[in-house]
Amino acid sequence: MNSGNKIYLIRRRTQSFLIHTERSGIKVIVRYGKIFTLFFVFLALLAGCGKAPKATGPQYGTAPLGEAQVIYRFGVHPLHNPKKLMDSYQPLMDYLNKNIPGVQFVLEASRDYSIFEEKYKNRKPEFILPNPWQTLGAIQSGYSVIVMAGDPADFKGVIIVRKDSGIKEPTDLKGKKVSYPSPTALAACILPQYYLHAHGVDVTKDITNLYVGSQESSIMNVYLKTTAAGATWPQPWRDFQKTHPKEAAELMTIWETESLVNNSVMVLDEVPDSIKIQVENILVQLNQTEEGNQILLNLETDYFKSATNQDYRLVQAFTDRFEREVRKIELGK
């Protein structure tokens, strides 16, 4: 048996589990119960030892009743740390699985922005939820927008400082450190850096930019006094205030940027239209049911609304201006 075989626990359903085994691009889903646990794990391992050619696109597995299911991966950019992201988005995956027969949606988290971006450049997840700047790159990779995730007015940058920092004006940050999740985080980096630029701060010379990997880390760096200010956006800042009330009480939002458009949900072009339409319809109708509204509450998102690639053209105009006046986005400097 090949040592490269991998087994993943996908999730628990009452008294059974889903086992995900992968080798050479072949993925098999096996459900097993208490009595036959070892038997089915053995079968899963055998399935991973086959010599079948590398699979591309949706993956197939054995469903609980022996029926083939198409596996669609749903990749979400690092809005939160992986555990928090799973807690927030798994209910949405469960809802899609319950309402779209014959397919299985599997949530896929990424450790940081660069890993997520590498995935869609390689056309890996069939469905993705990127930020608006990443949306532009994903369009070039063969994805199409089907919905916008949330109110466009909520997509803006916020800059956090300690209440005892003494910072009053953007120019007070000169000579200090500022934290961001990633150099490609549109709301939590690019918009705040443009705001500082417009208010007299040369972000490539006057301050030290620290790209710390996540929204929560950007905020925590301010709390720990590692940085004088930290950039994020309203959704993770609201979540931080709920989950870390003691730390949040020592922080405050000092500036907000202008709004742009919100995150998108995109689908790889070769996914069947029937699946695209069902996912779009389910997402835009979430706010019409009690269960759907609870899912939206978990996501810190008011609603999803239908959208297309054209809705993100203004992002290109803004990022072009940012690159002319501030820095190249890809360079992170």
Side-chain angles (χ1 to χ4, degrees), residues 170-178 180 193 196 201-210:
T171 51
D172 293 336
L173 292 175
K174 289 185 176 183
K176 296 181 171 60
K177 297 177 182 178
V178 180
Y180 319 84
Q193 286 186 345
L196 295 177
V201 178
D202 185 332
V203 299
T204 64
K205 297 178 180 179
D206 292 340
I207 60 177
T208 299
N209 301 297
L210 299 184

Side-chain angles (χ1 to χ4, degrees), residues 157-162 167 173 177-181 187-189 192-193 196 208 210 212 214-223 226-233 237 251-255:
V158 295
I159 300 176
I160 308 294
V161 298
R162 289 186 60 89
I167 294 171
L173 292 175
K177 297 177 182 178
V178 180
S179 52
Y180 319 84
C189 177
Q193 286 186 345
L196 295 177
T208 299
L210 299 184
V212 295
S214 72
Q215 307 283 346
E216 185 175 295
S217 291
S218 181
I219 300 169
M220 281 299 296
N221 269 271
V222 182
Y223 172 74
T226 305
T227 57
T232 185
W233 65 298
W237 173 232
L251 306 174
M252 67 177 185
T253 298
I254 191 167
W255 305 298

Side-chain angles (χ1 to χ4, degrees), residues 130-137 155 186-187 260-264 312 315:
N131 72 32
W133 181 81
Q134 294 164 337
T135 297
L136 300 178
F155 193 88
L186 183 56
L260 205 54
V261 294
N262 220 316
N263 298 323
S264 68
Y312 289 81
V315 179

Side-chain angles (χ1 to χ4, degrees), residues 79-312:
L79 291 160
H80 311 289
N81 65 63
K83 182 183 183 304
K84 170 63 178 174
L85 188 141
M86 288 289 182
D87 290 342
S88 298
Y89 277 85
Q90 187 56 50
L92 177 59
M93 298 301 104
D94 294 338
Y95 193 78
L96 291 172
N97 290 331
K98 182 173 69 173
N99 287 282
I100 304 179
V103 301
Q104 184 81 6
F105 289 87
V106 177
L107 182 61
E108 187 168 298
S110 298
R111 187 174 66 251
D112 57 36
Y113 279 70
S114 62
I115 291 175
F116 175 76
E117 289 155 12
E118 192 64 29
K119 287 179 181 179
Y120 70 69
K121 287 177 184 177
N122 291 323
R123 300 164 55 83
K124 292 297 185 183
E126 290 75 33
F127 288 83
I128 57 174
L129 194 155
N131 72 32
W133 181 81
Q134 294 164 337
T135 297
L136 300 178
I139 290 172
Q140 299 301 314
S141 295
Y143 291 84
S144 296
V145 174
I146 55 173
V147 300
M148 186 181 297
D151 186 352
D154 201 38
F155 193 88
K156 57 188 174 184
V158 295
I159 300 176
I160 308 294
V161 298
R162 289 186 60 89
K163 291 178 179 178
D164 59 2
S165 68
I167 294 171
K168 304 295 182 184
E169 303 293 335
T171 51
D172 293 336
L173 292 175
K174 289 185 176 183
K176 296 181 171 60
K177 297 177 182 178
V178 180
S179 52
Y180 319 84
S182 162
T184 59
L186 183 56
C189 177
I190 297 171
L191 282 169
Q193 286 186 345
Y194 193 80
Y195 178 93
L196 295 177
H197 163 79
H199 289 80
V201 178
D202 185 332
V203 299
T204 64
K205 297 178 180 179
D206 292 340
I207 60 177
T208 299
N209 301 297
L210 299 184
Y211 302 109
V212 295
S214 72
Q215 307 283 346
E216 185 175 295
S217 291
S218 181
I219 300 169
M220 281 299 296
N221 269 271
V222 182
Y223 172 74
L224 296 171
K225 301 183 180 180
T226 305
T227 57
T232 185
W233 65 298
Q235 185 187 85
W237 173 232
R238 288 192 297 263
D239 182 69
F240 187 87
Q241 290 172 293
K242 292 177 183 177
T243 57
H244 300 82
K246 180 181 176 181
E247 292 83 357
E250 297 188 33
L251 306 174
M252 67 177 185
T253 298
I254 191 167
W255 305 298
E256 292 186 354
T257 74
E258 295 183 0
S259 300
L260 205 54
V261 294
N262 220 316
N263 298 323
S264 68
V265 174
M266 306 183 74
V267 59
L268 204 56
D269 289 344
E270 52 260 41
V271 172
D273 288 342
S274 60
I275 299 298
K276 297 177 186 178
I277 292 170
Q278 288 182 82
V279 172
E280 178 182 351
N281 288 340
I282 287 171
L283 292 178
V284 300
Q285 293 171 17
L286 276 177
N287 62 349
Q288 298 177 20
T289 67
E290 182 177 348
E291 183 179 2
N293 275 302
Q294 183 57 52
I295 291 171
L296 291 170
L297 186 62
N298 282 344
L299 302 180
E300 290 278 356
T301 300
D302 291 333
Y303 56 82
F304 290 90
K305 70 174 194 174
S306 294
T308 69
N309 294 356
Q310 297 300 312
D311 293 301
Y312 289 81

Side-chain angles (χ1 to χ4, degrees), residues 10-84:
I10 299 299
R11 60 193 179 93
R12 183 172 183 172
R13 290 182 175 179
T14 61
Q15 296 184 2
S16 63
F17 295 85
L18 290 177
I19 289 293
H20 183 186
T21 179
E22 177 177 351
R23 181 185 180 278
S24 299
I26 303 300
K27 299 183 180 179
V28 178
I29 299 291
V30 178
R31 172 176 285 190
Y32 65 97
K34 291 181 177 178
I35 298 176
F36 300 106
T37 298
L38 293 176
F39 176 69
F40 278 111
V41 168
F42 178 69
L43 289 181
L45 288 170
L46 288 180
C49 293
K51 300 297 184 180
K54 185 176 181 180
T56 59
Q59 306 298 313
Y60 291 83
T62 56
L65 299 179
E67 300 174 352
Q69 281 190 315
V70 182
I71 307 301
Y72 289 116
R73 293 159 296 176
F74 198 115
V76 181
H77 80 281
L79 291 160
H80 311 289
N81 65 63
K83 182 183 183 304
K84 170 63 178 174

